[in-house]
Amino acid sequence: TLVTTNINIMKAKLILIASLIAYGSSIKIGSYNTFQIVTNPLASTLRDPQITQIGESDLDVICLQELLTMKDVVEYTTDLAAAGFTNTFSQLNIQQEASPQ
């Protein structure tokens, strides 16, 4: 659909921008698979240790993968903000911007 295409284009642009910034500077970019998927029976036990590990890392930009529900997105971004990652962008931002007020 058009929304999916726009989201994929936005993701590609963000990845390109982050890559260019990282290449030309000392910004550290990381990727983290959260395993917050419905088939993972341990998913609920992973969040707190992951937030701690990410908060203690020296990363400047992080891409979190497998946050499949908006509840997970909100919980992770809220907890990461408390750990120092105060600027976030996610599917939640796209949905809020695309939704009629």
Side-chain angles (χ1 to χ4, degrees), residues 51-88:
I51 297 297
T52 300
Q53 291 172 0
I54 294 167
E56 292 173 352
S57 74
D58 63 348
L59 296 172
D60 299 304
V61 177
I62 188 161
C63 175
L64 297 178
Q65 301 170 38
E66 294 190 0
L67 291 176
L68 302 179
T69 69
M70 285 302 113
K71 177 182 177 284
D72 289 333
V73 170
V74 170
E75 288 176 354
Y76 268 79
T77 55
T78 300
D79 290 348
L80 284 171
F85 286 86
T86 55
N87 297 311
T88 61

Side-chain angles (χ1 to χ4, degrees), residues 1-11:
T1 67
L2 181 59
V3 172
T4 303
T5 301
N6 287 340
I7 290 170
N8 289 335
I9 290 170
M10 185 172 287
K11 287 180 184 178

Side-chain angles (χ1 to χ4, degrees), residues 40-56:
N40 181 2
L42 301 175
S44 64
T45 65
L46 298 175
R47 191 188 65 180
D48 291 342
Q50 290 172 347
I51 297 297
T52 300
Q53 291 172 0
I54 294 167
E56 292 173 352

